[in-house]
Amino acid sequence: MDIFLQQIINGLVQGSIYALVALGYTMVYGIMGLINFAHGEVVMIGTLVTITVASSLIKAGMPVALAGLAGLSASVLVCMALGWGLERIAYRPLRNAPRLTPLITAIGMSIVLQNLAMMIWGRNYMTFPSLLPKVDFEFAGANFTMIQVIIVLVSAATMGGLLLLVYRTKLGMAMRATAQNPAVASLMGVNINRVIAAAFIIGSALGALAGVMVGGYYEIAHYQMGFMLGLKAFTAAVLGGIGNLAGAMLGGILLGIIEALGAGYIGDLTGGFLGSHYQDIFAFVVLIVVLMFKPSGLFGEKTGDRA
Amino acid sequence: MTGTLLEAKAVAKHFGGVKALRDVSLTIRRGEIYGLIGPNGAGKTTFFNCMTGLYVPDGGGFSFDGKPLVADAPDKAAARGIARTFQNIRLFGNMTALENVMVGRHVRTRAGVLGAIFQNPATKAEEAAIRQRAIDLLHYVRIEERADDLAKNLSYGDQRRLEIARALASEPKLLCLDEPAAGMNGTETEQLRELIDGIRRDGTTILLIEHDVKLVMGLCDRVAVLDYGALVIEDVPAVVQKDQRVIEAYLGA
Amino acid sequence: MKNSQFFRSTAGITLMAAALIVLPFVAALGGQAWVRILDFAILYVFLALGLNIVVGLAGLLDLGYIAFYAVGAYTWALLASPHFGLHLPIWVILPIGGLLACLAGVVLGSPTLKLRGDYLAIVTLGFGEIVRIFLNNLNAPINVTNGPQGITLIDPVTFGDFKFSGTTQIFGIALSGPQKYYYLLVALAILVVIINLRLQNSRIGRAWQAIREDEIAAKAIGINTRNLKLLAFAMGASFGGVAGGIFSAMQGFVSPESFSLIESIMILAMVVLGGMGHIPGVILGAVLLSILPEALRYGVGPIQMALFGKMLVDPESLRMLVFGLALVLVMRFKPAGLWPAPERKRESGEIQQVTAK
């Protein structure tokens, strides 16, 4: 049983990160129907900015905790600016373009960001500075670390905050209205441009936070790390029902847990035929199976055919 | 050519707790123009969608042309001979007017992928026939000069006509028009009246859902009134017009 | 319009044919590498036109197209290489590759084609990744794909005694391997252009376009949308499979690396950037996007040297950066693609002409 519990804990941690990234996809998709393929790169840049800022501050003699905080803030700011810029420069001119046009733009931006990052930070893996003391806990035979606890708690708090923002504030109401019907929302006095920009900025801030968590958790980072992470997170968003905030959160956590359990048990399940390097297929197999039975995702609204 | 074409038997449909249709039974005879009217939200379009297979009814059923109509898929209803237009016009916007009508021939033609690739004589002949029939239908609804325009670039009135031509292309036994006069001015409505009358004279039974009571009363042989999902009356226009329940339903008294 | 008239006129066709015939010799002046680039451009034309049936005609967003290409490529690699000691002839392998890819398309498509556009996109994307992961790992416990190392020494395309690898003398002209493949690929590409054109103006093609435009209306006029979508999917997949087989033979080597998501995305980008659903546009998109990165590969380094006297930035990343920017800019200023279908599709006079045929 301790393997089971251990994998649940690992999955919960990974899943919290997926959930944060998935929120960025789902907010943008919910409001403007765009798969923002560049979001994974925003997360990657968040990680790399933190490394640069925190490492150099630590080298300059700043206390580790303070340097970490500065790195986090810098990364959130950079990513927010990046998200805003992406929307303003790349996507906004394409609001009325054919459906696939912004998708190709998003792919183009993803390539651009990835290669920019490579020019800035190089091809090599970078080490994430140790910002937290290594403290291990044990619970019912499973081990977990301080950073894991923090990741889960901070994600939960952030997601709670986001839900409050979306369901309790004027901006949130404007966002929900725009998601329902942009034309009507704009007639009601909602500034669509601001709402969309806000979705990008908030999504990117969450992405930056996730980026810092990934970096802290795995302690290494690389300019290509955003791609698979983004893909998985997007899968999580679809799994939960894209456009649905709670769906993205639950989808992310579910995906993390399924992957962890899958990786832990796949050898036993297939009699040793498939090993743990098949971990990455779980996300997609689960996705395909879920969508076969629930075509709008687990928590997605049913969009019936209307005549 | 007389007798029953379509019979609805106690058709029921509910969405969650809302009963959109309460055991609606009615009969459409061959060769007539049958009007279905009722206030907004009375269940007219729901009835329509059940009949054409977009919705699966929760109770009751239809028989069409002497056989039960298993309306679980719209393409089956079309193959049986029920064609429809949509309240909020649904054309294939980026195809030409001619192509829209040509697609309408789909259920009555057979050519497959291999035929298309190898262009065997049968396929070529069928394709020519499809095209000719489509051109004829565009003439019939009098928009032949717009044949090569993209459907989305047609005027509103022409779009309505194109949608009717597309529906006629499938050689329907029953043509269902969902509020065809919506958004039309007096002249356009009058032209539409003539078109519908002409289609009936050429032998197609018509089910007309309409808001424009004047149009319905002037055009239809028989009229059914729905209110709150239930059938109020089914009779000739003269009787329906004088029915106290109908007047109440429309005045909301 | 003017362009299409030109392309249909005899003079236009002769000129294009002549250009297509001479092209590999012109390219060879810059070295065989350029002929190979040309080969890939044509192979991408083939792939993009296959995907165009799915995305452009039927409007199904397929982000896992490369999986079918992989199926075809590995079919060839396994049936014509020392890996299993099999060396089957082309008439056997190419159809098997196409059929297996088609089968894969049906298997993936039948449960998922009811999904709405973007859900379908992510499912196909996931499928592509699943195929790639299996290719990467199916070297144990039984060695099927040889894992990340891939399969080498794959047989070239051979018709009887005529091999497409190595140099042959024909009528006193020396034809290199890549040049021979070029002509084979051009022939295949012309075939797929014809198939695309004929499908587009057929009963099935119109039904696909109807589904793309409005699925509910398409159902209402009697189109069995499920079967037709599956047909489009399976057809696109078969083209991918055939292209994969040729790729395998041409390279003599396959590995999972060639079938990553970015490849699917590239092919989709070719279709969209060129002009979705418009065949000349798709061809243009495929040629541009396959040649541009290569041209940049040769151009970016020397230009930097000339301008700054040293390599300021890694040419590999600079070339991809420029490529990404090109995608963004084209979409910004030509949202419907570089060469979209003209708004008024036909001259009015043409109706009678076609009817008279």
Side-chain angles (χ1 to χ4, degrees), chain C residues 19-30:
Chain C
L20 278 176
I21 290 171
V22 179
L23 204 53
F25 292 99
V26 178
L29 298 177

Side-chain angles (χ1 to χ4, degrees), chain B residues 74-131:
Chain B
D75 52 295
K76 288 185 195 159
R80 285 288 301 278
I82 298 177
R84 68 170 294 179
T85 65
F86 291 87
Q87 191 176 330
N88 47 341
I89 309 181
R90 300 187 87 127
L91 287 166
F92 307 123
N94 288 306
M95 297 169 78
T96 64
L98 184 67
E99 284 170 334
N100 267 273
V101 185
M102 288 172 81
V103 185
R105 296 290 299 150
H106 189 87
V107 273
R108 301 290 167 238
T109 45
R110 319 173 36 90
V113 166
L114 291 181
I117 292 173
F118 294 109
Q119 292 288 311
N120 57 322
T123 306
K124 276 184 170 173
E126 186 185 272
E127 183 72 8
I130 291 174
R131 183 172 288 268

Side-chain angles (χ1 to χ4, degrees), chain C residues 35 41 43 104 107-108 127 143 145 172 198 220 282 284 344:
Chain C
V35 184
L43 189 68
V107 167
L108 171 68
F127 176 74
N143 187 359
T145 63
R198 290 190 164 176
V282 173
L284 177 71
R344 271 181 69 102

Side-chain angles (χ1 to χ4, degrees), chain A residues 23 45 78 120 123 137 156 164 174 212 256 294:
Chain A
L23 283 169
I45 287 174
V78 167
I120 299 171
R123 271 176 194 286
F137 302 92
L164 281 181
V212 176
K294 298 268 293 177

